Amino acid sequence: EVQLVQSGAEVKKPGESLKISCKGSGYSFTSYWIGWVRQMPGKGLEWMGIIYPGDSDTRYSPSFQGQVTISADKSISTAYLQWSSLKASDTAMYYCARLAAGTKGGFDIWGQGTMVTVSS
Amino acid sequence: DIQMTQSPSSLSASVGDRVTITCQASQDISNYLNWYQQKPGKAPKLLIYDASNLETGVPSRFSGSGSGTDFTFTISSLQPEDIATYYCQQYDNLLPVYTFGQGTKLEIK
């Protein structure tokens, strides 16, 4: 079964660092781009960035450039999203998603989401 | 940047109704347009890709059409399990950037 499994919910304080993960299985992890999407409480979907695990080519949304870092470890089929200094406004659900082959920018497989809560 | 305008933001319809959601791009995006369904507490699910292609396993009551700047998503006969929020999403391959519409919350009347 093709799937993306994300790490569990996190509760952090402002200023703390965090790295969440997204592990792919059931397909060639290095052959598909993996994107990250933010959903703030009660709000819509926002694309943050995307990485190609095969060579770690990474692109960021202008809105998130410099705010987060996307990386991948192809040896363990895992992509990461990290913050160096969290803010309360980073409280959100974060999804990873696989960019589908043969489509024009569609994300066909999604992780279950990681809820990040930042509160003092 | 390409802006996406999705409407309506919410919609109430009866079981069996035909439901239509529209998405308008601020410039020509050809058919670089996808549609997702998100049920409460769940991850989004790809329903339609490249404006009009039905993702494998998705019921045929869902369809999409359009190209250029104007796109339509249709549920031909609304079912109770279709209650969800629906999003359009465009892909700008030059940057690249993936932009979601604001979403349409669909409720049963």
Side-chain angles (χ1 to χ4, degrees):
Chain A
E1 179 191 6
V2 175
Q3 60 180 348
L4 297 172
V5 178
Q6 298 185 230
S7 50
E10 301 275 2
V11 179
K12 292 290 196 178
K13 290 181 166 45
E16 291 186 333
S17 63
L18 176 64
K19 191 174 189 177
I20 62 175
S21 66
C22 168
K23 183 173 176 61
S25 62
Y27 73 99
S28 175
F29 186 73
T30 54
S31 301
Y32 292 78
W33 292 81
I34 293 288
W36 287 93
V37 175
R38 182 176 79 174
Q39 187 167 39
M40 299 177 78
K43 302 299 184 183
L45 304 170
E46 302 172 88
W47 174 71
M48 303 175 70
I50 197 164
I51 187 165
Y52 189 73
D55 61 6
S56 292
D57 185 7
T58 307
R59 318 289 175 86
Y60 292 93
S61 162
S63 299
F64 291 92
Q65 179 83 47
Q67 308 305 307
V68 297
T69 301
I70 293 170
S71 60
D73 185 340
K74 62 185 179 181
S75 69
I76 55 171
S77 301
T78 302
Y80 301 97
L81 176 66
Q82 69 180 90
W83 296 259
S84 59
S85 181
L86 286 159
K87 302 184 284 286
S89 57
D90 293 317
T91 295
M93 181 71 82
Y94 293 89
Y95 294 101
C96 62
R98 187 183 80 166
L99 191 63
T103 75
K104 293 172 181 171
F107 293 97
D108 64 344
I109 303 296
W110 291 68
Q112 82 277 20
T114 296
M115 184 67 207
V116 174
T117 303
V118 184
S119 174
S120 54
Chain B
D1 290 5
I2 299 174
Q3 306 301 316
M4 303 302 295
T5 302
Q6 185 175 341
S7 62
S9 57
S10 64
L11 177 57
S12 182
S14 300
V15 172
D17 280 356
R18 183 180 184 87
V19 170
T20 298
I21 299 168
T22 64
C23 209
Q24 185 171 59
S26 57
Q27 62 189 74
D28 189 336
I29 60 170
S30 183
N31 65 337
Y32 286 55
L33 194 285
N34 307 295
W35 291 95
Y36 299 84
Q37 174 193 66
Q38 186 179 31
K39 295 185 176 181
K42 299 294 187 182
K45 175 185 177 182
L46 179 65
L47 299 181
I48 303 289
Y49 64 92
D50 301 355
S52 61
N53 295 295
L54 195 66
E55 177 72 347
T56 301
V58 174
S60 59
R61 64 180 180 274
F62 296 100
S63 65
S65 64
S67 68
T69 61
D70 295 301
F71 300 87
T72 300
F73 172 81
T74 300
I75 306 173
S76 61
S77 178
L78 184 66
Q79 299 303 303
E81 61 266 31
D82 299 336
I83 298 313
T85 300
Y86 292 84
Y87 294 91
C88 62
Q89 172 245 317
Q90 72 90 14
Y91 167 52
D92 182 343
N93 64 326
L94 295 180
L95 295 179
V97 171
Y98 304 78
T99 305
F100 290 91
Q102 300 91 332
T104 297
K105 186 174 183 179
L106 177 56
E107 298 174 330
I108 293 284
K109 199 180 288 184

